Each structure stands twice: as C-alpha cells, then as structure tokens.
Amino acid sequence: PYQTPLYPDQPPSALTAPVPLGRALDWLRKVKGNGQAGALYEDSVPRPLRPLFEHLRRAYRVRSLAVSLIPDTESEREYALVAAQTTHPRVWQEDELAFLQGLAAQLGVAIRNAKLHEQALATGEQLRQTNAELEAFIYTASHDLQAPIVSLQGFAALLVERYGADFDERGRLYLKRLAANAEALGELLRDLLELSRIGRLEESDEPVPAGEVVHLALAEHSIALEARGVRLQTQERWPTVIYSRRRLLQVFGNLLSNAVKFLGEQPDPVVEIGWRAENGRDCFWVRDNGIGIDLADRERIFEPFRRLEQVKVEGTGIGLNIVKRIVESRGGEVSVESAPGRGATFTFTIPRRQG
C-alpha cells in the first residue's frame, strides 16, 4: 500500500486504504524499462495505473506524476522515485524527467551501498564472534593441558634420575627424547595461552620508561647474547610511553630472541636497539646483521607457526605473531625491512598519549 503522506495534515483514513501498486510497477517496468522516467497526467492515465492515480488524487490532490524506477537494487522490494504536481496541471519537460532519472540512479547506488555496508557489518560481527570463540577455546585447551604436560615432564625427569642407569643407550635416548618433546609441548602451550590472553586479559597502561624495559629485556636474554658473542648497540636517551610494562617487555624480548636465533654464522654478530620520534609516535627498532629475510617471507613471518627455512632454530613460531598482536591492539604498527644476507630491522610504533 502507498502510505507515505505528501501532506502531514492528511487524515489517517487517506493513508490506510490499500492500493494495487504491484500492477502499477509491473506496467512501469514493462513500458518504461527499469531505470527510465515517465510522466502520468490525470486525463490520460493508463488503465493499470488508474486505481493508484485515483487514490493519490483523492488523498493528496495530485494532478500529474513523474515516476522513475530505481534501478538494480537487488532486492525483493521495488523502489520508485515519484515527483507529484498537486496545484495545477502541467507538462513534465524532458530535462526534468532526465534529472529525475539521474536522481533515481544515484538512489539505486546509495541503496546498494547501504546493503553492502549492512552485509559487511554482519560479516564483521560474525568474524568477531568466531575469533572470540576460537580464542576462548585456545585459552581453555592450553590452560587445561598445562597440568598433564607438567606431570609428564616430572615423570620423565624422575625416570632419568632414578632409573636412568637401568636403561641401555637406546633406552636413555628414548627418555631424552621424551623429556625434550614434553618440554617443547609445554613451551607451545605456554605461548598459545599467552597468545589467547592478548586482547582478552590486559593489564592497564601506565607511564613506562622505555629504557628500563629495554635493559630488563637485555638482562633476561643475557645468557643467549653472551653465548653468541653479540655486540650490543643501544641509545642513552629513551622516551616514557603509555603502555603495559609487561607487554612492552614481551615485545622487546621476543624481538631480541628472534634476532639472536637468526644471526646464522655471522662472525661478528651485532644487535642494535634504537628509538626515534616520528609523526606523533615513538618508533622503536631491533636490528641485527644475521641471515636476513627474503621479500616473500616478510609478511608471512608474522603469522603463527611460520618459520624461516634457511636455518633450523628452537621455538614455537608464535613469538612474532605475539609481537604483532600486542602492538596492533594498542594502535601501533609493526614491520620488517630486510634482504637475504643483510640482516633484518624490526620496527614497531607506539602512538603518543597523555598518561
């Protein structure tokens, strides 16, 4: 039914009577073609449109109409743009009909865009729900598996300690592999648990002196750095950032660990940690002179469980993904510049905020 008033003072009875719009629209589609404009006059209304026109004449004093179907709305509903003359008879000019047709075309685009926007919002919400369910599952699974893995590690250690002498060389090798696999599985579960916590269980941000966190990260990795004979290059001045101290330590720690792992056979290994102010944000980097990264691998290394194939290293392959999620969850960006044999520079940014 046609129920949109042209005059706000029309009585309700003028808006409730059903009008056979379906036949009118069918006639317009057949005669004018979808997206074309046409005029209707009170003295020459086609038979399929007379009930509609008579209703409009009685309810709104309509004398003539210019109508254009809105094209390609991809909907079960039909939309039309209607201009009505209600004061006196008139002849609609070609330029007026062309303007109406152009406006109808723009409305068609607007309707399609609105539908696409609604679909994108619905898809985004579904994706968020799926990700939330997946993160909840990872959290639950990795948390619940911690206890049996710790138990497995404990029993493997007891077997080696108390009964190792009773095994032959092959048996001791099996025990060693059992302990190593249990430790690797425990590390994987810990990383998965940490990955699932990012964005779900977050510490509050606070003013954090970045230099203190850098020195703490270096201290935590001092054994690996000294074992590899790494020369460290750092800066004296560091900014204070608004961040979670624990998360910032994770970022620097994972980037340092990654740098040491991929130094390769470099005879004079160097790791540099630096900072600069840039466009309203603090930009930090960890640079090494190791094996470098091929162009095709630069984006993939931030995906979970992705590793470079040039060298075999320990770890779960989640560290850089944790870095990416921490940085991006706080409005920053992370990137890498590298080339094979020329080392790598991992950069991340922290937007400046007031504490």
Side-chain angles (χ1 to χ4, degrees):
Y2 188 98
Q3 294 185 349
T4 302
L6 299 181
Y7 294 99
D9 60 348
Q10 287 296 316
S13 60
L15 308 179
T16 56
V19 178
L21 286 181
R23 292 178 61 195
L25 291 174
D26 289 341
W27 182 86
L28 286 171
R29 281 194 299 268
K30 183 184 298 183
V31 175
K32 294 297 181 182
N34 202 12
Q36 300 295 314
L40 299 175
Y41 303 100
E42 59 183 343
D43 58 351
S44 60
V45 181
R47 182 180 297 276
L49 300 181
R50 288 176 185 174
L52 170 62
F53 199 94
E54 183 61 23
H55 170 79
L56 297 177
R57 188 186 64 78
R58 291 198 309 267
Y60 308 113
R61 303 187 293 276
V62 170
R63 308 295 297 275
S64 65
L65 294 174
V67 183
S68 178
L69 289 179
I70 296 176
D72 302 326
T73 57
E74 299 180 359
S75 171
E76 295 180 356
R77 295 184 176 184
E78 293 286 354
Y79 296 86
L81 181 62
V82 180
Q85 178 70 45
T86 61
T87 57
H88 56 275
R90 64 165 296 168
V91 175
W92 295 91
Q93 303 300 317
E94 288 299 325
D95 58 341
E96 294 173 326
L97 295 177
F99 173 79
L100 191 70
Q101 183 177 336
L103 188 57
Q106 295 180 37
L107 287 173
V109 173
I111 292 173
R112 288 195 299 275
N113 288 342
K115 292 182 180 298
L116 290 174
H117 180 65
E118 291 177 355
Q119 293 172 3
L121 290 178
T123 302
E125 181 60 29
Q126 292 175 357
L127 183 60
R128 281 190 291 272
Q129 292 179 359
T130 300
N131 287 339
E133 293 171 358
L134 179 59
E135 289 178 355
F137 169 76
I138 293 175
Y139 177 83
T140 301
S142 56
H143 182 273
D144 292 348
L145 288 173
Q146 287 286 339
I149 293 301
V150 170
S151 178
L152 180 60
Q153 290 173 319
F155 280 119
L158 284 175
L159 278 173
V160 173
E161 178 181 349
R162 297 185 181 182
Y163 304 103
D166 297 337
F167 288 91
D168 58 14
E169 183 176 352
R170 183 179 292 275
R172 286 191 291 274
L173 176 62
Y174 290 160
L175 283 177
K176 185 177 180 180
R177 287 183 177 177
L178 176 63
N181 288 336
E183 177 62 31
L185 185 55
E187 182 181 2
L188 175 61
L189 291 176
R190 287 191 295 272
D191 283 350
L192 284 173
L193 186 61
E194 193 60 43
L195 187 65
S196 69
R197 284 173 172 164
I198 298 173
R200 298 177 66 249
L201 303 173
E202 286 294 345
E203 302 83 356
S204 59
D205 293 343
E206 59 180 331
V208 179
E212 293 182 6
V213 178
V214 169
H215 289 115
L216 183 57
L218 290 172
E220 289 184 351
H221 292 80
S222 59
I223 295 178
L225 292 167
E226 292 174 2
R228 189 60 184 82
V230 175
R231 285 194 298 115
L232 291 172
Q233 297 178 356
T234 62
Q235 297 179 193
E236 294 184 1
R237 292 180 59 256
W238 294 92
T240 295
V241 297
I242 307 300
Y243 224 70
S244 160
R245 183 182 294 268
R246 178 168 176 266
R247 293 304 186 197
L248 188 58
L249 180 60
Q250 275 186 293
V251 171
F252 278 117
N254 285 359
L255 292 179
L256 271 172
S257 175
N258 187 78
V260 174
K261 288 177 181 178
F262 292 97
L263 286 170
E265 301 299 325
Q266 172 61 246
D268 182 24
V270 178
V271 172
E272 175 189 346
I273 306 178
W275 159 83
R276 67 176 179 272
E278 183 181 90
N279 298 328
R281 59 186 184 174
D282 294 303
C283 181
F284 300 88
W285 67 84
V286 176
R287 179 179 295 130
D288 65 71
N289 61 345
I291 64 174
I293 304 170
D294 189 79
L295 179 62
D297 293 322
R298 289 186 191 177
E299 289 299 324
R300 291 188 296 177
I301 59 173
F302 290 105
E303 299 174 5
F305 310 112
R306 289 283 190 175
R307 302 183 186 183
L308 296 179
E309 299 179 356
Q310 295 94 317
V311 59
K312 187 175 181 61
V313 298
E314 297 180 353
T316 61
I318 300 179
L320 290 179
N321 184 255
I322 289 177
V323 169
K324 180 179 177 67
R325 295 192 64 174
I326 291 175
V327 171
E328 292 184 349
S329 70
R330 284 174 160 77
E333 298 177 351
V334 61
S335 61
V336 60
E337 295 181 4
S338 182
R342 297 186 177 183
T345 300
F346 285 85
T347 303
F348 70 94
T349 62
I350 298 178
R352 289 187 175 178
R353 295 184 288 158
Q354 296 296 323

Coordinates of all heavy atoms in Angstrom, one line a residue, residues 107 111 151 185 190 242 333 340:
L107 N 20.1 7.1 -6.2 CA 19.5 6.5 -5.1 C 19.7 4.9 -5.2 O 19.9 4.3 -4.2 CB 18.0 6.8 -5.1 CG 17.6 8.2 -4.6 CD1 16.1 8.4 -4.9 CD2 18.0 8.4 -3.2
I111 N 21.3 2.8 -2.2 CA 20.7 1.6 -1.6 C 21.6 0.4 -1.7 O 21.7 -0.3 -0.7 CB 19.4 1.3 -2.3 CG1 18.4 2.5 -2.0 CG2 18.8 0.0 -1.9 CD1 17.1 2.4 -2.8
S151 N 53.1 -32.8 34.5 CA 53.2 -34.1 35.1 C 54.1 -35.0 34.2 O 55.0 -35.8 34.7 CB 51.8 -34.7 35.3 OG 51.9 -36.1 35.8
L185 N 56.4 -29.3 24.0 CA 54.9 -29.2 24.1 C 54.5 -28.2 25.1 O 53.6 -27.4 25.0 CB 54.3 -30.5 24.3 CG 52.8 -30.6 24.3 CD1 52.2 -30.1 23.0 CD2 52.3 -32.1 24.5
R190 N 52.3 -22.8 26.5 CA 52.5 -21.5 27.2 C 52.4 -20.4 26.2 O 51.7 -19.3 26.5 CB 53.9 -21.5 27.9 CG 54.0 -22.3 29.2 CD 55.3 -22.0 29.9 NE 56.5 -22.3 29.2 CZ 57.0 -23.5 29.2 NH1 56.5 -24.5 29.9 NH2 58.1 -23.8 28.5
I242 N 53.1 5.4 27.2 CA 51.9 4.9 27.9 C 51.6 3.5 27.4 O 51.2 3.4 26.3 CB 50.7 5.9 27.7 CG1 51.1 7.3 28.1 CG2 49.5 5.4 28.5 CD1 51.5 7.5 29.5
E333 N 51.9 0.0 14.8 CA 52.2 -0.8 13.6 C 53.6 -1.5 13.8 O 54.5 -1.0 14.5 CB 52.3 0.1 12.4 CG 51.0 0.8 12.1 CD 51.1 1.8 10.9 OE1 52.3 1.9 10.4 OE2 50.1 2.3 10.4
P340 N 68.1 -10.9 2.1 CA 68.9 -12.1 2.4 C 70.4 -11.8 2.5 O 71.0 -11.1 1.7 CB 68.7 -13.0 1.1 CG 67.4 -12.6 0.6 CD 67.3 -11.2 0.9

